[in-house]
Amino acid sequence: MSSPPFGGSNEMPAVFPDWSPYQDLDSAARAYLRDPEVALDALFGVLRGASVLCFTLERFVNEVNGVWQEVVICDGSRLVLWHGEDVAPGDGPVGSMTSSLRVVPLSTVTEVGCRRRLTRTSNGQARVDSIDVYLLLSSIDDAVPPPGMDEGGEGRTALRHDALRFGKTLDDGGPGQIARLEEFSRVVASLVGRPTL
């Protein structure tokens, strides 16, 4: 399946090729992302030869903006996140997209959570049909709460820690991507609280 290059048609299929069989980032990104060159250029510019211990990819079609893409890499001492998103109609020339990069030191990850939903097959065997992963960070979420969300009372709002959240289901990613996201969470969890590489 070929995907249009950056600036191509916004008519993207809802189901994308499976990246989970690819163990290296370059091959997985080229199989799955619409704009792998944009993503890899940004990511490798930060990695500068550092080893990629694990990664996860996400891509979906947003009804307003078009294609939304994400890559998250762990190199042993930091998380490197790339995010690409089509610009909403009227917010820029046709075919415009944003490309964003964020680097998060692993020392700022305070908690790793992984929740799997299990179902039973007809023979009674447990099967994972969805997974949700969160990485709680020591930084504070700077999003402004909506009006009326005065959780602290007396005009104060509760402070919330920043978090990174990822999810896969059998319908969105399939068993291979569920397993790869779980692997990602286990690698990051094994590094949190340890001296960085």
Side-chain angles (χ1 to χ4, degrees):
M1 174 178 175
S2 62
S3 56
F6 167 61
S9 169
N10 280 340
E11 294 182 22
M12 299 296 298
V15 178
F16 306 111
D18 185 10
W19 61 266
S20 67
Y22 301 96
Q23 295 301 310
D24 66 290
L25 175 63
D26 188 85
S27 298
R30 292 185 190 285
Y32 188 70
L33 299 178
R34 185 194 65 190
D35 304 295
E37 290 81 11
V38 176
L40 294 170
D41 183 56
L43 292 165
F44 289 141
V46 171
L47 287 171
R48 304 230 176 234
S51 296
V52 175
L53 299 183
C54 59
F55 61 89
T56 187
L57 306 176
E58 184 58 78
R59 173 178 164 183
F60 63 84
V61 176
N62 179 318
E63 292 178 6
V64 176
N65 292 12
V67 177
W68 185 97
Q69 306 165 87
E70 182 177 56
V71 181
V72 185
I73 296 167
C74 177
D75 70 357
S77 63
R78 57 201 172 150
L79 298 167
V80 184
L81 300 91
W82 175 82
H83 168 239
E85 184 174 9
D86 289 344
V87 173
D91 286 350
V94 174
S96 297
M97 69 175 282
T98 60
S99 173
S100 305
L101 199 66
R102 181 178 182 188
V103 178
V104 177
L106 274 182
S107 60
T108 66
V109 177
T110 60
E111 185 176 317
V112 177
C114 178
R115 180 179 177 192
R116 302 182 307 159
R117 187 175 69 189
L118 304 171
T119 56
R120 298 264 178 211
T121 62
S122 58
N123 66 3
Q125 186 177 7
R127 176 182 78 170
V128 179
D129 71 2
S130 72
I131 185 169
D132 292 301
V133 172
Y134 73 88
L135 309 178
L136 189 63
L137 307 178
S138 60
S139 56
I140 302 299
D141 185 351
D142 59 1
V144 177
M149 294 297 292
D150 179 15
E151 296 179 14
E154 302 172 7
R156 294 176 294 177
T157 56
L159 295 178
R160 295 184 193 276
H161 283 272
D162 198 1
L164 305 173
R165 300 184 183 280
F166 313 99
K168 293 288 182 182
T169 66
L170 288 178
D171 293 332
D172 174 25
Q177 292 182 38
I178 289 173
R180 291 294 297 275
L181 180 55
E182 185 170 11
E183 174 191 0
F184 174 84
S185 73
R186 287 177 176 173
V187 171
V188 173
S190 73
L191 297 168
V192 169
R194 293 184 172 188
T196 56
L197 299 176

